Amino acid sequence: MDALIELQSEFWKAAGETLYMVSITLLVGGAAGLLMGLVLYATRAGSLLPNRAIFVTLNVVINFFRPIPFIIFIAAVQPLSRLIIGTGIGINAVIFALSLAASFAIARIVEQNLVTVAPGVIEAARSMGAGPYRILGTIVIPEALGPLILGYTFIFVAIVDMSAVAGLIGGGGLGYFAQLYGYRQFEPVVTWAAVLLIVVFVQIAQFVGNRLARLALRR
């Protein structure tokens, strides 16, 4: 307990780093994943804008990158990170890798939720003269909003987990704090303090996500 008290400033700094990494990743990766998911849905056979070449290419890319374990993925994208943001280490490099990894997972979640929208609703909009982009924006996304919110909540939890893994290679945040000051210094109280705060973050996110999803489903 004394060690944790002495490390208070580092503890809360690490908590802030985790929230920073997760929030930026969810913003950037969430937007990219939503775009890819919409393209997958719209270009699949029988959908609003069928295009086999685009669908197959994007589908293969997502299927290739999505199964890669994050600890391997973060090392593999270091050269690309150095090329684009100028560094392969540190919090910004971790955010770059997190955003890429999250975008592929989110794309699949978005696609899977959009395909559950009843075809009859889409056909009714088509019969009234609505174009594909209008149907996507005013019919498909609103109809799938509740499940999409739950999907993004799931991804938030996954990003928190991945940010902790990034701590193993000096990426900052609570994972790095727990490993550096807890595991390496044989201070289980420090380790568990980081674990419990991560659990608090996840519980709050899950509560908010569930609440927003219920509100969307009741609209």
Side-chain angles (χ1 to χ4, degrees), residues 153 188 199 214:
T153 303
V199 170
R214 282 198 297 268

Side-chain angles (χ1 to χ4, degrees), residues 43-81:
T43 58
R44 66 191 300 117
S47 192
L48 299 171
L49 298 163
N51 188 311
R52 180 174 174 78
I54 293 176
F55 176 81
V56 170
T57 301
L58 187 56
N59 193 54
V60 169
V61 170
I62 292 172
N63 285 341
F64 179 84
F65 286 105
R66 198 164 64 99
I68 301 175
F70 184 66
I71 193 67
I72 299 174
F73 184 85
I74 197 173
V77 299
Q78 272 191 334
L80 183 61
S81 176

Side-chain angles (χ1 to χ4, degrees), residues 7 10 167 174-186 190-191:
L7 292 168
E10 293 295 327
L174 288 169
Y176 180 70
F177 175 86
Q179 193 222 2
L180 181 63
Y181 298 110
Y183 177 74
R184 291 184 181 177
Q185 303 298 325
F186 302 101
V190 174
T191 301

Side-chain angles (χ1 to χ4, degrees), residues 1-214:
M1 184 61 72
D2 291 340
L4 182 59
I5 293 173
E6 293 174 2
L7 292 168
Q8 277 190 71
S9 61
E10 293 295 327
F11 178 70
W12 293 114
K13 178 185 175 183
E17 289 174 346
T18 292
L19 290 176
Y20 173 72
M21 288 189 290
V22 172
S23 59
I24 299 300
T25 297
L26 195 62
L27 180 65
V28 177
L34 177 63
L35 178 61
M36 287 191 290
L38 285 171
V39 172
L40 277 174
Y41 169 79
T43 58
R44 66 191 300 117
S47 192
L48 299 171
L49 298 163
N51 188 311
R52 180 174 174 78
I54 293 176
F55 176 81
V56 170
T57 301
L58 187 56
N59 193 54
V60 169
V61 170
I62 292 172
N63 285 341
F64 179 84
F65 286 105
R66 198 164 64 99
I68 301 175
F70 184 66
I71 193 67
I72 299 174
F73 184 85
I74 197 173
V77 299
Q78 272 191 334
L80 183 61
S81 176
R82 291 192 189 97
L83 179 65
I84 294 179
I85 66 174
T87 180
I89 60 174
I91 291 179
N92 289 333
V94 170
I95 290 174
F96 178 80
L98 281 170
S99 298
L100 275 180
S103 67
F104 296 124
I106 290 171
R108 189 62 73 195
I109 287 175
V110 170
E111 181 206 15
Q112 290 172 350
N113 283 305
L114 294 183
V115 296
T116 63
V117 175
V121 178
I122 297 172
E123 290 305 317
R126 274 176 164 168
S127 67
M128 291 186 290
Y133 297 105
R134 185 176 180 183
I135 292 174
L136 273 176
T138 62
I139 303 295
V140 177
I141 293 178
E143 285 293 320
L145 187 58
L148 283 174
I149 291 172
L150 291 177
Y152 272 81
T153 303
F154 172 80
I155 288 297
F156 176 92
V157 176
I159 294 172
V160 172
D161 177 58
M162 289 189 292
S163 72
V165 171
L168 294 174
I169 57 172
L174 288 169
Y176 180 70
F177 175 86
Q179 193 222 2
L180 181 63
Y181 298 110
Y183 177 74
R184 291 184 181 177
Q185 303 298 325
F186 302 101
E187 293 285 355
V189 172
V190 174
T191 301
W192 275 103
V195 170
L196 290 175
L197 188 55
I198 289 173
V199 170
V200 169
F201 289 160
V202 168
Q203 292 296 325
I204 292 173
Q206 192 67 60
F207 174 80
V208 173
N210 290 344
R211 181 75 175 173
L212 292 175
R214 282 198 297 268

